[in-house]
Amino acid sequence: MAIKGKFGRRGNQRNRRTCDDQPLDYKDVETLEKFLTAYGQIQGRRRTGYVAKCQRDLKLAIKRARFLGLMPFVG
Amino acid sequence: MTTIYEGMFLIDNAAVREDWNAAKTIITGTLEKHGATIHTARRWDERRLAYPIKKRNRATFLLTYFEIPGENVPAMRREFELNDTVLRNLQIAVDAIPESETELAQAELSDDFVVPAPPEDDAVDEKPSEEGEESSEDGEKAKAEGDEKKSEGESSEEKPSEETKAEADDETKQKEGAAASEEN
């Protein structure tokens, strides 16, 4: 059985970040690029620190930006 | 029932270079044709694309907010897909039009607004053919260099052989001279 840390697999949930103060928009490419890895993949919740709803919003915004050619799919 | 939509359209820079208002009218005219009420339509940006779309490296982005009946949306999207001037299009439903958007759209309608000319490097370069030409040129250069080296090598090889021949001739002459003196 895998050993989990003090706060479990998702870490300390009390320090979660929300996107209420700054909604995620596909046109805000500079902000969205911060949540990509070096290979252009979307970072997981453990890295971004977002709550589940904001992580879904982030995913949607990045995928819209990719479709319009504002962000790369790879690299 | 009508819904407010935010539409982002990628326009070919070739059409923008000819006439920005004509390129904008292609979008707004298509929207109005399908029963849309356009609230704002403005040039959002002109930028390099992250990957080529329809063999274009750059495109001009048009941002619009409009209301359209839901049943007309699929036909409208299909028409944009078939239009060559529109590289990509995205429509998403929004709750309300942002306050800053109307001001920015009105600024574009003023007489002082001038659309900056897009850069010329919007078409995708045909890299494989150029690389092939370069490689062939390089190959020719390498061949020419090789030929020069060969010719130099041959000449350098020839020189010692001539010298050795001359030396050998001198030696034979000396020997013959010595033999003649002994006989005398």
Side-chain angles (χ1 to χ4, degrees):
Chain A
M1 184 177 173
I3 299 167
K4 291 179 181 177
K6 184 182 176 184
F7 297 107
R9 191 168 62 90
R10 290 293 180 194
N12 187 356
Q13 295 292 315
R14 284 178 295 182
N15 294 331
R16 283 278 145 192
R17 193 198 320 191
T18 63
C19 54
D20 295 337
D21 53 340
Q22 190 185 359
L24 294 159
D25 187 16
Y26 70 92
K27 297 188 289 295
D28 190 3
V29 179
E30 287 184 9
T31 304
L32 296 179
E33 277 178 345
K34 293 175 187 172
F35 300 109
L36 293 182
T37 65
Y39 295 102
Q41 294 171 308
I42 302 170
Q43 289 177 354
R45 282 182 63 202
R46 183 181 290 191
R47 295 284 286 177
T48 62
Y50 272 134
V51 297
K53 184 187 175 299
C54 294
Q55 183 71 15
R56 290 198 299 274
D57 292 347
L58 173 70
K59 179 188 76 174
L60 191 63
I62 290 174
K63 289 189 174 185
R64 281 172 175 166
R66 282 174 175 171
F67 174 72
L68 289 170
L70 297 169
M71 294 176 79
F73 281 92
V74 179
Chain B
M1 183 186 169
T2 58
T3 313
I4 300 174
Y5 287 91
E6 177 185 310
M8 183 70 92
F9 301 91
L10 270 72
I11 305 175
D12 191 353
N13 274 352
V16 175
R17 246 179 245 116
E18 287 177 8
D19 188 6
W20 164 245
N21 288 323
K24 190 176 168 182
T25 309
I26 292 170
I27 309 294
T28 55
T30 308
L31 289 171
E32 285 171 352
K33 182 182 156 187
H34 289 277
T37 308
I38 298 166
H39 293 289
T40 63
R42 70 176 178 94
R43 179 184 176 277
W44 180 65
D45 201 0
E46 192 283 328
R47 58 175 68 186
R48 176 170 286 278
L49 301 172
Y51 54 93
I53 298 174
K54 291 186 181 176
K55 297 184 178 179
R56 292 285 180 273
N57 280 330
R58 302 186 73 93
T60 303
F61 292 73
L62 179 80
L63 181 64
T64 62
Y65 285 89
F66 56 92
E67 280 184 61
I68 188 170
E71 61 267 20
N72 297 352
V73 172
M76 178 199 69
R77 283 183 176 160
R78 176 153 177 78
E79 189 159 345
F80 282 125
E81 289 293 327
L82 296 172
N83 196 331
D84 289 335
T85 311
V86 182
L87 304 179
R88 280 279 163 91
N89 68 95
L90 176 73
Q91 296 90 30
I92 55 172
V94 292
D95 297 328
I97 302 168
E99 292 176 2
S100 60
E101 198 60 32
T102 50
E103 294 173 7
L104 293 166
Q106 282 178 354
E108 187 173 316
L109 294 172
S110 65
D111 297 334
D112 300 335
F113 182 79
V114 178
V115 178
E120 293 291 329
D121 61 335
D122 56 337
V124 176
D125 298 330
E126 293 179 1
K127 287 178 181 175
S129 63
E130 286 183 0
E131 284 176 0
E133 287 173 6
E134 284 175 4
S135 62
S136 63
E137 285 175 4
D138 292 341
E140 286 172 4
K141 283 179 184 176
K143 278 183 183 177
E145 286 174 4
D147 292 339
E148 285 174 7
K149 281 179 183 176
K150 277 183 181 177
S151 62
E152 284 173 5
E154 285 171 2
S155 61
S156 61
E157 284 172 2
E158 283 171 2
K159 280 177 185 176
S161 63
E162 286 175 0
E163 287 173 3
T164 50
K165 280 181 182 177
E167 286 174 3
D169 292 342
D170 291 341
E171 285 176 3
T172 50
K173 283 178 182 176
Q174 284 176 2
K175 283 179 182 177
E176 285 174 2
S181 63
E182 282 176 3
E183 285 175 6
N184 293 331

